[in-house]
Amino acid sequence: MAETGARALGRPPDPDLQDRRRRELLLAAIDLFARKGFSSTEVQEIADAAGVAKGTVYRYFESKEALFLAAADLSMRELTEWIDRAVERCVEPVERLRTAALTVAGYFERYPERIELLAQERAVFRGSIPPTHAVYREKRRPRFEATLREAIESGKLRSVDVRALANALSYLLFGAILCGSVEHSPRTLKRLVRESIDVVLGLLKTGDDPHV
Amino acid sequence: MAETGARALGRPPDPDLQDRRRRELLLAAIDLFARKGFSSTEVQEIADAAGVAKGTVYRYFESKEALFLAAADLSMRELTEWIDRAVERCVEPVERLRTAALTVAGYFERYPERIELLAQERAVFRGSIPPTHAVYREKRRPRFEATLREAIESGKLRSVDVRALANALSYLLFGAILCGSVEHSPRTLKRLVRESIDVVLGLLKTGDDPHV
Amino acid sequence: MAETGARALGRPPDPDLQDRRRRELLLAAIDLFARKGFSSTEVQEIADAAGVAKGTVYRYFESKEALFLAAADLSMRELTEWIDRAVERCVEPVERLRTAALTVAGYFERYPERIELLAQERAVFRGSIPPTHAVYREKRRPRFEATLREAIESGKLRSVDVRALANALSYLLFGAILCGSVEHSPRTLKRLVRESIDVVLGLLKTGDDPHV
Amino acid sequence: MAETGARALGRPPDPDLQDRRRRELLLAAIDLFARKGFSSTEVQEIADAAGVAKGTVYRYFESKEALFLAAADLSMRELTEWIDRAVERCVEPVERLRTAALTVAGYFERYPERIELLAQERAVFRGSIPPTHAVYREKRRPRFEATLREAIESGKLRSVDVRALANALSYLLFGAILCGSVEHSPRTLKRLVRESIDVVLGLLKTGDDPHV
DNA sequence: CATGAATGAGCCTTCATTCAT
DNA sequence: TATGAATGAAGGCTCATTCAT
């Protein structure tokens, strides 16, 4: 893949291969950390899954913890990309909100294991670092609140406190992802989120009929 | 409790001491597991904190994991008791909902560490067991949905899908507890939950003014 | 051995056994570190040699390095005891000097491996600690110089700079132990030291015949 | 050296560069092994210090151990050269002895780290090879004893057993170098050796006044 | 029952050495 | 010939669990 012509030079350490390996390791890490938990996963297993020797893992990542963090970060970065890509086509603000939420649900329905990374991260790095998901969420907050404001100002949504609403929707989504994947099959995550979000959005819509 | 007289064969057993010890151990476990994480906490530390020898821990609990589970369970059972006690005075259904949510927030504001147990539990027992909080939530669901139905039927809340609404509120609360304790000080948990819940409840109230 | 009656109490962790174990470990450590070198010796080997599990080693010593240091210290302390015991019978100062030197030689002839500990220690703890042998030597220096002074003042030895002479004799002895054990069999250490020391002492004796 | 023209088949080999590299590596090795100890020094560090890649080290030396040995050997060969150069100007035998000893002291005062190589070597190559310094010492012994004999026969020194005296002086020097560098600053090595040696030489001088 | 010394499997990390380029 | 990425054996240390007293 993308092997076209490159790497014929000899000396340079072939950045392509390195990138591929790094990614391979991260994917293996996501999978294993998510399925077995941080401390029950041996670095050797990750190396095996990525098809490299154990020592090689340590060429790419300082430590098991650093690998975990990088894996969690990759996961959240990809989620961010999904959201950005999905949302950029939505002009209508309410639709944009719904789409964003459903994209998150869709992402974790596609990669159910990655939900566990959120829990793992929190559990393992006991407050020593701000959780990746919180960091990413905070980064998106201004855009999020702007969209809400836009929807309210354009009369699409009732007028409520924007900060409180943003929080409520965030928490709802986060809670739905975490709980939904446990209580129901992760396969139904999207439906679950849609139903929950739509209740609230339905209530928010102006016009008196809170039908979704 | 209610242990009086049972199996009082001689001196050694002393069921009171045993109960006290057991509780001592659970409290120490909650504290340490929550503060340091499951795998970073040594059984020895818990024994020390409870003032017993390490071997004694194993007289009361099969294993480190069993101790953790029992600790998580104690935590959730106490939360349940708080809710029951708080709610039993509320006749008005909407007030009952609000009170329950605020009680949960208040509980974790009082014992902020215990929030971590939720994360720990999920992280450590990777799907091998249904998380304690999910079990307790499921147990309360019928009562919860009944209250919602009651509020709707009595015209206090708009008519929406009860299941979806119950989920939405649950997830919101769960998400708020988990995120709020990280993003803000756990001291403001109650305010955070109140604001988030009140937005939604405000929207739900019949009559057109969604002011809280 | 010395098992008489003791240990019948039950709880107290039997200090005798502990002391014996500790000594067992130190002797095994001396032997193995000396024969195989510090880094080529595995903690497991020492545990095996002492008949305990690896974890037990760490109950008695903080780390492999601490174990080494304790071993080196034991070795030097025993040497000190040998010297003290041998010397206490000598009134005549020159005889005392000779006896001390020969006792050192005898000690290392008896425990040839322990010579290696001196080398190991220096090599491993690169200046991070003052070498055990230097510490012990410095502790004896006042007594040593006093003896020299006594011998000179009583006319038994020629008058020379005491400090310089003390150094010269110390270095000679130390060099002889280290080199002699390599160049010749450690079995001849005593003879080697006697010859070297006697040359110098012979020269030192008053009266013109420097015959030993 | 004397490599001129040999095997000059093409461009690549360039024996000069190779010699320079080899020396560079040895000097880096001496420095690092001496400062950090054999096992705490990584081959990579030596490569870095010499400005070559790690793999290149293995083109010049079979293994880390071989590199160490070569480094120790270089050190002793240079010492030998110093001695030879210093001594060749001395006709008077006693002066020759003194000069040799002081040159050794001067050498290690100039390169204090190299003292450590002696200790390292002994510690690492536990008897598997005769220590470099012993080999070199043994090589010089005939010349050394000849000088002593010459001094005695010419009446400059008292008549004592030559072998024993040679040993005593050797051990004294060796011990002084090893101990002196630890107990005092290596800066005073020369003074220390001079004082120690002069005591003995003073006693050896014919004529009754053993003043240095 | 309580104790805490002993156990030993487990695991992360290091680093000398190799070898494809 | 030089390079440095990859390898994987090795080993120090931890800690849950056991069990003799």
Side-chain angles (χ1 to χ4, degrees):
Chain A
M1 223 180 272
E3 191 75 46
T4 19
R7 113 198 201 296
L9 299 171
R11 255 71 27 79
D14 189 355
D16 263 6
L17 176 61
Q18 304 227 358
D19 277 2
R20 237 176 305 131
R21 264 217 229 278
R22 190 185 163 82
R23 191 174 170 77
E24 208 72 43
L25 279 166
L26 286 172
L27 292 178
I30 286 177
D31 180 53
L32 283 158
F33 282 140
R35 270 196 298 112
K36 317 189 42 179
F38 179 78
S39 34
S40 303
T41 299
E42 294 177 32
V43 172
Q44 181 66 69
E45 293 177 287
I46 296 172
D48 290 348
V52 300
K54 183 155 49 165
T56 303
V57 176
Y58 285 89
R59 290 194 68 68
Y60 287 81
F61 302 95
E62 276 273 301
S63 64
K64 191 187 180 186
E65 298 208 344
L67 173 54
F68 179 91
L69 253 22
D73 192 72
L74 173 64
S75 172
M76 288 308 293
R77 198 165 47 243
E78 287 199 2
L79 172 56
T80 297
E81 287 164 14
W82 277 48
I83 299 175
D84 288 340
R85 225 175 302 126
V87 147
E88 81 192 358
R89 286 187 301 265
C90 299
V91 247
E92 211 281 310
V94 178
E95 199 48 32
R96 204 146 70 225
L97 296 171
R98 241 185 132 247
T99 300
L102 289 176
T103 302
V104 172
Y107 177 79
F108 286 116
E109 202 170 300
R110 168 70 183 77
Y111 301 114
E113 343 84 57
R114 302 195 180 177
I115 298 169
E116 296 309 320
L117 285 191
L118 303 177
Q120 291 295 323
E121 189 188 24
R122 166 142 193 168
V124 177
F125 298 93
R126 322 274 24 279
S128 59
I129 53 152
T132 313
H133 69 86
V135 172
Y136 278 88
R137 182 134 30 82
E138 210 50 46
K139 241 199 282 187
R140 303 195 74 86
R141 173 183 285 278
R143 246 173 305 174
F144 184 23
E145 295 191 353
T147 302
L148 285 175
R149 226 171 286 118
E150 184 191 338
I152 291 172
E153 279 159 15
S154 67
K156 298 274 175 57
L157 292 186
R158 301 176 183 217
S159 170
V160 295
D161 179 53
V162 167
R163 242 193 96 77
L165 180 58
N167 278 341
L169 290 172
S170 275
Y171 298 156
L172 195 169
L173 182 57
F174 186 73
I177 298 294
L178 280 186
C179 294
S181 65
V182 175
E183 290 162 11
H184 315 72
S185 156
R187 293 302 149 92
T188 61
L189 219 47
K190 217 141 91 187
R191 185 162 63 72
L192 204 68
V193 167
R194 186 176 42 242
E195 288 171 2
S196 309
I197 282 285
D198 281 349
V199 171
V200 179
L201 288 183
L203 294 168
L204 277 165
K205 289 234 179 81
T206 48
D208 271 318
D209 310 272
H211 308 317
V212 184
Chain B
M1 224 179 269
E3 190 76 44
T4 13
R7 97 196 203 300
L9 303 170
R11 271 118 310 159
D14 186 356
D16 263 5
L17 176 60
Q18 303 225 358
D19 277 1
R20 238 177 303 129
R21 266 219 231 276
R22 190 184 163 83
R23 189 175 171 78
E24 210 71 46
L25 278 166
L26 286 172
L27 292 178
I30 287 178
D31 179 54
L32 284 159
F33 283 140
R35 271 195 297 112
K36 315 190 43 183
F38 179 78
S39 36
S40 302
T41 299
E42 294 175 31
V43 172
Q44 181 68 70
E45 292 177 286
I46 296 172
D48 290 348
V52 300
K54 184 154 54 162
T56 304
V57 177
Y58 285 88
R59 302 213 138 276
Y60 288 81
F61 302 94
E62 274 278 301
S63 66
K64 191 187 181 188
E65 300 208 342
L67 173 54
F68 179 91
L69 252 23
D73 191 71
L74 173 63
S75 172
M76 287 308 294
R77 197 165 49 244
E78 287 199 2
L79 171 56
T80 297
E81 287 165 15
W82 277 48
I83 298 175
D84 288 341
R85 226 174 302 125
V87 148
E88 81 191 359
R89 286 185 300 264
C90 298
V91 248
E92 211 281 311
V94 178
E95 198 49 32
R96 204 148 68 225
L97 295 172
R98 239 183 135 249
T99 300
L102 289 176
T103 302
V104 172
Y107 177 79
F108 286 117
E109 202 171 299
R110 168 70 183 77
Y111 302 114
E113 344 84 56
R114 301 194 181 178
I115 298 170
E116 296 309 320
L117 285 191
L118 303 178
Q120 291 295 324
E121 190 188 24
R122 166 142 195 170
V124 177
F125 299 94
R126 320 279 24 282
S128 59
I129 54 151
T132 314
H133 71 86
V135 171
Y136 277 87
R137 184 135 27 85
E138 210 49 48
K139 238 196 283 186
R140 304 195 74 85
R141 174 182 285 277
R143 243 173 308 173
F144 184 23
E145 296 192 353
T147 303
L148 284 175
R149 226 171 285 119
E150 183 189 339
I152 290 172
E153 278 160 14
S154 67
K156 299 274 176 57
L157 293 186
R158 299 174 184 220
S159 170
V160 295
D161 179 54
V162 167
R163 242 194 97 76
L165 180 58
N167 277 341
L169 290 173
S170 275
Y171 298 156
L172 197 168
L173 182 56
F174 187 72
I177 299 293
L178 279 187
C179 293
S181 66
V182 174
E183 290 163 13
H184 315 71
S185 156
R187 293 301 151 92
T188 60
L189 220 48
K190 219 143 91 185
R191 186 162 61 73
L192 204 67
V193 167
R194 185 174 44 241
E195 288 171 2
S196 308
I197 283 285
D198 280 350
V199 172
V200 179
L201 288 183
L203 294 168
L204 278 166
K205 291 235 180 81
T206 48
D208 270 320
D209 312 271
H211 310 314
V212 182
Chain C
M1 221 180 270
E3 191 76 47
T4 18
R7 116 200 198 295
L9 299 172
R11 255 78 21 83
D14 188 355
D16 264 6
L17 176 60
Q18 305 229 1
D19 278 3
R20 237 177 304 131
R21 265 217 228 279
R22 189 186 163 82
R23 191 174 170 78
E24 209 71 43
L25 278 166
L26 286 171
L27 293 178
I30 286 177
D31 179 53
L32 282 159
F33 283 140
R35 268 195 298 114
K36 316 191 41 180
F38 179 77
S39 33
S40 303
T41 300
E42 295 177 31
V43 172
Q44 181 66 68
E45 292 177 289
I46 296 171
D48 290 348
V52 300
K54 183 157 48 165
T56 302
V57 176
Y58 286 89
R59 289 194 68 69
Y60 287 82
F61 302 94
E62 277 272 302
S63 65
K64 192 186 180 189
E65 299 208 344
L67 172 54
F68 179 90
L69 252 23
D73 192 71
L74 173 64
S75 172
M76 287 307 294
R77 196 165 50 244
E78 287 199 2
L79 171 56
T80 298
E81 287 164 15
W82 277 49
I83 298 174
D84 288 340
R85 224 173 305 123
V87 148
E88 82 192 356
R89 286 186 300 264
C90 300
V91 248
E92 210 281 310
V94 177
E95 197 49 30
R96 205 148 67 224
L97 295 172
R98 238 183 134 248
T99 299
L102 290 177
T103 303
V104 172
Y107 177 78
F108 286 115
E109 201 170 301
R110 169 69 183 78
Y111 302 113
E113 344 83 55
R114 302 193 180 179
I115 298 169
E116 297 309 320
L117 284 191
L118 303 178
Q120 291 295 324
E121 190 188 24
R122 166 144 195 168
V124 177
F125 298 93
R126 323 274 23 279
S128 58
I129 53 151
T132 314
H133 70 85
V135 172
Y136 277 88
R137 182 134 30 83
E138 208 51 46
K139 239 197 287 186
R140 303 196 74 86
R141 172 183 286 278
R143 244 172 308 172
F144 183 24
E145 296 192 353
T147 303
L148 285 175
R149 225 169 289 119
E150 184 190 339
I152 290 171
E153 278 158 16
S154 67
K156 298 272 176 55
L157 292 185
R158 298 175 185 218
S159 170
V160 294
D161 179 52
V162 166
R163 244 194 93 78
L165 179 59
N167 278 340
L169 290 172
S170 275
Y171 298 156
L172 195 168
L173 181 57
F174 185 73
I177 298 294
L178 279 187
C179 294
S181 66
V182 175
E183 290 162 12
H184 316 71
S185 154
R187 294 302 151 92
T188 60
L189 219 50
K190 216 142 94 187
R191 186 164 59 74
L192 203 68
V193 167
R194 184 174 46 240
E195 288 172 2
S196 308
I197 282 285
D198 280 350
V199 171
V200 179
L201 288 183
L203 294 168
L204 277 164
K205 291 235 179 81
T206 48
D208 270 321
D209 311 273
H211 310 315
V212 184
Chain D
M1 222 181 272
E3 189 75 41
T4 14
R7 96 197 203 300
L9 303 172
R11 271 119 309 159
D14 187 356
D16 262 7
L17 176 61
Q18 303 225 356
D19 276 4
R20 238 176 304 129
R21 267 219 228 275
R22 190 186 163 81
R23 189 174 171 77
E24 209 72 44
L25 279 166
L26 286 171
L27 291 178
I30 286 177
D31 179 53
L32 283 159
F33 282 140
R35 270 194 300 113
K36 316 189 43 181
F38 179 77
S39 36
S40 301
T41 299
E42 296 175 29
V43 173
Q44 181 67 69
E45 292 177 286
I46 296 171
D48 290 348
V52 299
K54 184 154 55 162
T56 304
V57 176
Y58 285 87
R59 301 211 140 278
Y60 288 81
F61 302 95
E62 274 276 302
S63 66
K64 190 186 182 187
E65 300 208 343
L67 172 55
F68 179 91
L69 253 24
D73 191 71
L74 173 63
S75 172
M76 287 308 293
R77 198 164 50 243
E78 287 199 2
L79 171 55
T80 298
E81 286 164 16
W82 277 48
I83 300 175
D84 288 340
R85 224 173 305 127
V87 149
E88 81 192 357
R89 287 187 299 264
C90 299
V91 250
E92 210 279 311
V94 177
E95 198 49 31
R96 205 147 68 225
L97 295 172
R98 242 185 133 245
T99 300
L102 289 177
T103 301
V104 172
Y107 177 79
F108 286 116
E109 201 170 301
R110 168 69 183 79
Y111 301 114
E113 342 85 55
R114 303 195 178 177
I115 298 170
E116 296 309 320
L117 285 191
L118 304 177
Q120 291 295 324
E121 189 187 25
R122 167 144 195 168
V124 178
F125 299 93
R126 321 278 21 283
S128 58
I129 53 151
T132 315
H133 71 85
V135 172
Y136 277 86
R137 183 133 32 81
E138 207 52 45
K139 239 198 285 186
R140 303 196 73 87
R141 173 183 285 279
R143 243 172 309 172
F144 183 24
E145 296 192 353
T147 303
L148 284 175
R149 225 168 289 116
E150 182 190 339
I152 292 172
E153 278 159 15
S154 67
K156 298 273 176 56
L157 293 185
R158 300 177 185 218
S159 170
V160 293
D161 178 54
V162 167
R163 239 194 97 78
L165 180 58
N167 277 341
L169 290 172
S170 276
Y171 298 156
L172 196 168
L173 181 57
F174 186 72
I177 297 294
L178 278 187
C179 293
S181 66
V182 173
E183 290 162 12
H184 316 71
S185 156
R187 293 301 150 90
T188 60
L189 219 50
K190 216 141 94 184
R191 186 163 63 74
L192 204 68
V193 167
R194 184 174 47 240
E195 288 171 3
S196 309
I197 282 285
D198 281 350
V199 172
V200 179
L201 288 182
L203 293 168
L204 277 164
K205 290 235 179 82
T206 48
D208 270 320
D209 310 272
H211 308 317
V212 183

